[in-house]
Amino acid sequence: MADQQWRMTNQHQEEDNDEEAVPVSPVGQYFNSSALCIYIIGVLEFQVPLDESQAIPLLQRLFLPINPRFSSIMVEDSSGDKRWKKVDVNLKDHVNIPLFPEFNSMKPYDKYFTDYLSRIAIEKLPENRPLWEIHVVNYPTSGAASSLIFKLHHALGDGYSLMGALLSCLQRADDPSLPLSFPSLKPSKSANKNFFSTFSLVMSSAYNTVVDFYWSMLKSTIIEDDKTPIRSGFEGTEVRPLTISTMTFSIDQIKLIKSRLGVTINDVITGIIFYGTRLYMQDINKKSSSANSTALVLLKTRNTEGYQSIDEMLNSKAKGPWGNRISFLHVPIPKLEHDRISNPLEFIWEAHNIIKRKKKIFSVPITGILLEMEGKFRGHEAVAKHIHGTLSKSSTVITNLIGPTQPMSLANHPVKGLYFTLAGGPESLVISVMSYMGVLRVTLKAEKYFIDEHKLNSRIKCAFETIFDAALEFSQQAKT
């Protein structure tokens, strides 16, 4: 009788725990499945060495209270659905402090750092504890005195949510009493249109929606990009060795190109990346400069104009800022033909026209609805396999986040720079863009032994310089 009573009490406790557990969002389940396991890797670079003794107290005081997911594990309930279950967190399990060989000289540890970063990016996090960890790298590189690496499972949230959480732990270095500020994301107001122009726009959007939706579905299921110097097409690319490298550009120069050509900053960045990528492809294999290649441009699907406070994130409704509110656009990479070599600005205008047209259509929300329906009827594993196929059939993934305009600090450690990337996907190349204090940081996560990241970096930098000079000449020609 006592044993039976204990089992009944234990069963009731498990049922109560299941009721308290928060359901994992559909996208969160897609990103943590047998088909997909996606991570966000963020790096903070500091001007001074880090005080390692502050790591655990700062995590306890600042990081864990941000969201219950940072103190939860993903479990399956009796119906097979995944939920976030609160657990006790042993912070020592989540803090890693690597030891590199000591040098007698002042030589920076760039290679050791990049090798370490690349190695931990492909390692899977244990499922029996919360899905995040940090790495305190107290060795100088050519760009920083020390670095802090955050590895966060994408199931915890999208880049917007997780970057907002990370930034909530930081403060303004010049005046901690003031909040961090960010560039405005308000779209420019469009001019009033008459009935005929509005009707024409609606009809054009409807036609383009059908065409783009049909093409996107084919790209996700049947048609795959050509194998090129940026797409190996190898099975198991997600677990193959990778390299992570970065480069910087001046936002003021990006803005100058933007104003001279009458486009957006995103158009300029995308055009530079496309042009530089094609130049690299041509260097490795001349025929690949005209190969069929597609970029998946990740989008945030939330009605916000910038990062909100953590309180606003947590108090929002189910479709609010916290969570995985993302989708993507299939954007064909313009081919490097003879006329484009003579006029690289065509890459900017082409990116502008493609993105502008795709923003006016409704294939993205329609695709989201269909994926949600597929998840209900076929299960989250089926949708995860569908997304995996979409990623593997494309050539690259491009994603971007906006950082603050003022210098930041963490517990009086001034932040010199920050960047991020994605890991765990089947693509050979991921290009991430992050802004901070007037500098644009472009990060390449590339398949090791297949992509020459040094040459690719060089060609993207060359593309920037070529387009910048061409934009200045275009402005002068336009004035004459």
Side-chain angles (χ1 to χ4, degrees), residues 54-301:
Q54 293 191 44
I56 290 179
L58 285 173
L59 289 171
Q60 187 73 52
R61 188 175 81 252
L62 298 177
F63 186 73
L64 289 185
I66 290 174
N67 195 292
R69 297 182 190 184
F70 298 142
S71 303
S72 303
I73 61 173
M74 194 179 291
V75 298
E76 283 192 8
D77 59 18
S78 55
S79 61
D81 292 327
K82 293 183 178 179
R83 294 177 176 269
W84 293 110
K85 181 180 179 181
K86 190 86 170 176
V87 295
D88 293 329
V89 182
N90 183 358
L91 289 173
K92 291 182 179 180
D93 293 337
H94 296 262
V95 179
N96 302 273
I97 304 176
L99 293 176
F100 296 162
E102 294 292 339
F103 292 134
N104 293 327
S105 65
M106 296 299 292
K107 183 180 178 181
Y109 285 78
D110 291 55
K111 187 178 187 311
Y112 285 99
F113 177 81
T114 54
D115 288 349
Y116 181 78
L117 178 61
S118 300
R119 178 173 60 81
I120 65 173
I122 60 175
E123 293 175 349
K124 283 199 172 185
L125 293 177
E127 295 282 345
N128 61 350
R129 64 188 189 214
L131 298 172
W132 62 270
E133 64 184 19
I134 69 166
H135 300 257
V136 182
V137 185
N138 238 337
Y139 294 91
T141 62
S142 56
S146 60
S147 304
L148 185 64
I149 304 170
F150 278 82
K151 183 173 182 178
L152 305 157
H153 203 294
H154 214 321
L156 295 169
D158 55 27
Y160 172 89
S161 300
L162 297 176
M163 187 56 62
L166 178 60
L167 294 176
S168 73
C169 299
L170 304 170
Q171 55 188 189
R172 279 182 60 159
D174 55 346
D175 189 346
S177 66
L178 296 176
L180 294 168
S181 61
F182 302 84
S184 174
L185 296 180
K186 292 182 179 180
S188 57
K189 294 182 179 180
S190 57
N192 293 329
K193 297 181 176 64
N194 57 35
F195 170 77
F196 295 102
S197 61
T198 302
F199 178 77
S200 176
L201 178 63
V202 171
M203 295 302 295
S204 175
S205 297
Y207 172 78
N208 288 331
T209 295
V210 174
V211 173
D212 188 78
F213 175 74
Y214 179 69
W215 182 73
S216 295
M217 291 302 295
L218 289 177
K219 289 294 297 178
S220 297
T221 54
I222 301 174
I223 302 175
E224 64 180 64
D225 283 358
D226 295 333
K227 292 183 180 180
T228 65
I230 65 168
R231 180 177 180 269
S232 68
F234 296 149
E235 291 289 336
T237 303
E238 52 267 44
V239 295
R240 293 172 66 90
L242 56 86
T243 61
I244 297 174
S245 58
T246 71
M247 67 194 90
T248 58
F249 300 102
S250 165
I251 290 183
D252 287 339
Q253 289 182 310
I254 296 285
K255 288 181 178 178
L256 191 147
I257 299 172
K258 163 188 172 292
S259 61
R260 296 291 174 92
L261 302 186
V263 295
T264 69
I265 289 179
N266 277 340
D267 296 335
V268 176
I269 298 168
T270 305
I272 291 170
I273 290 172
F274 282 172
Y275 184 46
T277 302
R278 282 295 188 185
L279 290 176
Y280 167 79
M281 294 166 68
Q282 180 178 252
D283 286 348
I284 304 299
N285 182 347
K286 191 172 183 180
K287 291 183 179 179
S288 68
S289 61
S290 58
N292 293 317
S293 301
T294 307
L296 282 179
V297 180
L298 296 187
L299 304 172
K300 70 180 183 71
T301 57

Side-chain angles (χ1 to χ4, degrees), residues 289-340:
S289 61
S290 58
N292 293 317
S293 301
T294 307
L296 282 179
V297 180
L298 296 187
L299 304 172
K300 70 180 183 71
T301 57
R302 58 180 83 245
N303 295 319
T304 55
E305 295 175 354
Y307 293 107
Q308 296 178 303
S309 70
I310 293 301
D311 288 339
E312 289 174 313
M313 283 187 175
L314 298 181
N315 293 332
S316 297
K317 296 180 180 179
K319 293 188 177 181
W322 188 273
N324 271 299
R325 307 284 295 164
I326 60 173
S327 187
F328 49 78
L329 288 177
H330 284 91
V331 180
I333 301 176
K335 298 179 180 180
L336 191 59
E337 299 166 353
H338 180 71
D339 59 330
R340 297 192 190 281

